[in-house]
Amino acid sequence: MISVIIMLVKIIAVFVVLLLCVAYLTWLERKVLGHMQVRYGPMRTGWHGLLQPIADGIKLFFKEDIVVESANKVIYVLAPFIVAVCAFASFAVVPFGNTLTLFGHTIDLRVADVDIGILYIFALGSMNVYGVTLAGWASNNKYALMGGIRSSAQMISYEIAMGLSVIGVLMLTGSLSLVEVVKAQSDIWFVVLQPVGFVIFLICGIAECNRSPFDLPEAENELVAGFHVEYSSMKFALFFMAEYAHMIVMGSLITTLFLGGWQLPFVDIGSFHPSSPAGQLAVALIPMGVFGAKVFLCLFFFIWLRATYPRLRYDQLMQFGWKVLFPLALLNIVVTAVLQMVNLL
Amino acid sequence: MVGSVFKRIWALLVGLKETLGYFLGTTILGKPITQNYPEERRTPYPRFHGLHMLLRDEEGREKCVACGLCAAVCPARCITVEAGENENGVKYAQHYQIDISRCIFCGYCVEACPVGAILLGGDYELADYTRESMIYAKERLLQE
């Protein structure tokens, strides 16, 4: 009984925090982009525009919900839900902390410890593409369709390299569980042992989130808004939230797989077991803070990239995916395997 | 081959450094170029073309002699002058109005004026709700 309650509380807490993070990630993005372009960003709603996400949410909520006459209604309505559910559900397996001991109960700080956590996230990431592609197709709009097609083509090309780049990490860990991956990094982060894998994963992760410079599915100047041209009100908001949730998941994934998750460098927090309640709380909260800080840095990096690089051309994108990242990822696996065979890793 | 790849990656990093420099410059060191308009107002340059002013001479008399040259030269045809004579027999502008919603602030009226009675001032906050209120009569244009 108590475990069910703990589970429910965890799910609700994670969902609410994730939603809040999504809301304030939009604020952060506008603020950082603004400062990189030597302007303020949102300043009017609340102190330094801090209430802007709430104002945006209210605005989107009260917008007219238009369903296109010639659209395939069922799929048109379903698509934003697919995208949003996939983005938010991905976070379920992310270990955002070690353990929290509260009133004698030890709570694992993750919603679900799935043995195949990485596969689960990859599966949901691929499902996400269905939402985007179907949204583009069901809108019955040529720009939306182009955006959807680009999205699927981009995902297929980049997901392969992405999957291959993780294999090095999996070889070092010997497990698909994200919890095990984090535990294996208590001595040294995988970014040191797998630099090539890290870079490939980072690039593919950005492509997977449809972020600039890989934001071809919603290339504003060619496709108006890409796959979500015909969406308004809360349906658009779902796409929008899903995109940012996806960013957070990708940041968490990079953190978990390569940057040591909630581990501090040089200090093995997992090995501390203080008896006092304050100490126990500290041992639970510090890893969460560390995890949050690392994810924040990843997200900042994503925004930073957006402010810096122009969008790739479609053929450049494909060429880069297939001719550079894919062979590099394969090479990375081979080198990792060989080094492991001779006991260097 | 390898050299050119590193050169390209280096170029990417230089780009990142550039934007980070702007970010840090805006966040920590200086202020953004943005002016928070209603709170901070820019002072116009001396020769800025803003709202017209009808000038007075040293004794406080209106300089305008209602010759109508400004109305004649105005490309937007926004100036209306009606001449009148005062008790000393001197011509003056009985009615003088400028339709600011038509005015293009070219400054021809200033150039045309033989007595230097009109000038473009620094007031640029001219938005209003009705067309009627955009028509400025002499009383609103006269220099205090």
Side-chain angles (χ1 to χ4, degrees):
Chain A
M1 187 59 207
I2 193 91
S3 64
V4 173
I5 293 173
I6 289 175
M7 196 47 142
L8 279 176
V9 169
K10 261 199 303 199
I11 292 172
I12 293 167
V14 167
F15 188 62
V16 169
V17 169
L18 192 57
L19 271 181
L20 264 178
C21 288
V22 165
Y24 277 92
L25 183 57
T26 63
W27 176 83
L28 181 81
E29 169 144 45
R30 294 171 67 175
K31 217 58 189 170
V32 171
L33 274 181
H35 281 209
M36 285 187 173
Q37 293 162 358
V38 205
R39 52 188 178 82
Y40 282 109
M43 280 298 274
R44 296 281 154 193
T45 34
W47 186 77
H48 281 257
L50 265 178
L51 296 176
Q52 189 69 44
I54 297 162
D56 284 343
I58 294 171
K59 183 202 81 171
L60 280 170
F61 192 77
F62 285 107
K63 283 263 181 179
E64 188 188 353
D65 193 4
I66 300 163
V67 177
V68 186
E69 187 86 340
S70 55
N72 184 328
K73 303 264 176 348
V74 179
I75 299 177
Y76 180 84
V77 175
L78 192 66
F81 289 96
I82 298 177
V83 174
V85 166
C86 289
F88 281 102
S90 305
F91 202 78
V93 294
V94 173
F96 50 89
N98 191 13
T99 51
L100 169 66
T101 313
L102 216 59
F103 310 118
H105 289 282
T106 304
I107 304 164
D108 290 335
L109 289 178
R110 71 207 67 115
V111 174
D113 183 6
V114 185
D115 288 340
I116 49 163
I118 297 172
L119 278 186
Y120 170 82
I121 287 187
F122 274 98
L124 282 179
S126 312
M127 284 290 291
N128 200 32
V129 192
Y130 276 94
V132 172
T133 314
L134 288 178
W137 178 78
S139 303
N140 200 10
N141 173 314
K142 59 185 167 197
Y143 295 119
L145 183 60
M146 295 262 282
I149 290 170
R150 281 183 182 195
S151 172
S152 52
Q154 181 177 325
M155 290 299 163
I156 290 167
S157 333
Y158 278 75
E159 220 152 44
I160 295 172
M162 191 182 194
L164 290 176
S165 70
V166 181
I167 287 180
V169 170
L170 302 183
M171 286 158 95
L172 294 178
T173 320
S175 168
L176 277 165
S177 158
L178 288 172
V179 181
E180 294 302 318
V181 171
V182 175
K183 279 187 185 147
Q185 295 179 81
S186 56
D187 296 328
I188 188 158
W189 296 357
F190 285 152
V191 64
V192 183
L193 300 179
Q194 288 281 322
V196 178
F198 173 69
V199 171
I200 296 172
F201 190 85
L202 190 65
I203 294 170
C204 295
I206 295 159
E208 180 95 356
C209 299
N210 295 334
R211 292 282 305 174
S212 177
F214 303 105
D215 56 344
L216 280 120
E218 42 195 300
E220 288 91 352
N221 25 23
E222 311 149 42
L223 301 182
V224 193
F227 59 91
H228 57 58
V229 205
E230 298 287 3
Y231 284 87
S232 62
S233 187
M234 280 318 275
K235 292 207 194 74
F236 170 74
L238 277 178
F239 277 121
F240 199 68
M241 277 165 15
E243 189 187 323
Y244 282 87
H246 209 159
M247 259 173 89
I248 294 177
V249 169
M250 203 46 74
S252 318
L253 208 54
I254 291 166
T255 306
T256 310
L257 289 174
F258 292 98
L259 302 178
W262 43 262
Q263 308 261 19
L264 269 175
F266 311 118
V267 187
D268 189 5
I269 297 187
S271 64
F272 289 113
H273 297 288
S275 48
S276 69
Q280 283 172 345
L281 203 64
V283 165
L285 287 181
I286 290 172
M288 278 168 81
V290 170
F291 180 81
K294 286 177 189 172
V295 174
F296 173 82
L297 285 181
C298 289
L299 294 174
F300 181 85
F301 184 69
F302 287 176
I303 300 170
W304 186 9
L305 284 183
R306 179 175 168 187
T308 310
Y309 299 134
R311 187 180 308 122
L312 266 76
R313 219 169 52 213
Y314 191 61
D315 59 314
Q316 291 172 332
L317 179 96
M318 286 295 158
Q319 235 172 27
F320 187 58
W322 288 105
K323 291 188 181 170
V324 179
L325 292 181
F326 181 55
L328 261 182
L330 280 178
L331 195 71
N332 185 47
I333 295 174
V334 173
V335 171
T336 311
V338 169
L339 286 179
Q340 238 179 355
M341 284 290 280
V342 297
N343 288 325
L344 277 173
L345 273 176
Chain B
M1 169 64 192
V2 174
S4 81
V5 167
F6 275 111
K7 223 171 163 182
R8 285 178 196 185
I9 293 173
W10 183 249
L12 291 177
L13 296 179
V14 168
L16 281 178
K17 194 199 109 218
E18 186 79 358
T19 37
L20 189 70
Y22 279 118
F23 176 77
L24 294 178
T26 318
T27 313
I28 301 166
L29 303 174
K31 293 189 70 185
I33 50 168
T34 317
Q35 276 181 324
N36 279 320
Y37 162 61
E39 290 90 31
E40 300 165 27
R41 279 152 210 261
R42 110 186 4 248
T43 26
Y45 291 105
R47 290 168 68 177
F48 182 78
H49 282 190
L51 182 64
H52 308 69
M53 287 193 302
L54 287 176
L55 303 181
R56 293 173 189 272
D57 62 12
E58 303 83 56
E59 289 154 50
R61 293 173 301 199
E62 295 167 25
K63 276 186 176 178
C64 178
V65 293
C67 62
L69 279 177
C70 49
V73 79
C74 181
R77 304 252 182 130
C78 66
I79 304 179
T80 322
V81 196
E82 255 174 57
E85 247 178 58
N86 67 6
E87 54 275 17
N88 305 330
V90 179
K91 262 177 88 180
Y92 80 110
Q94 216 167 17
H95 295 288
Y96 191 101
Q97 63 173 37
I98 299 178
D99 187 351
I100 291 299
S101 63
R102 293 258 165 226
C103 178
I104 57 169
F105 300 97
C106 59
Y108 279 11
C109 45
V110 181
E111 282 175 39
C113 187
V115 291
I118 192 166
L119 207 66
L120 288 176
D123 187 4
Y124 52 86
E125 292 167 312
L126 302 173
D128 218 325
Y129 287 100
T130 58
R131 285 169 201 273
E132 288 71 42
S133 59
M134 305 279 278
I135 298 170
Y136 281 57
K138 192 171 84 174
E139 289 69 37
R140 281 171 84 181
L141 296 167
L142 262 176
Q143 190 190 25
E144 293 309 313

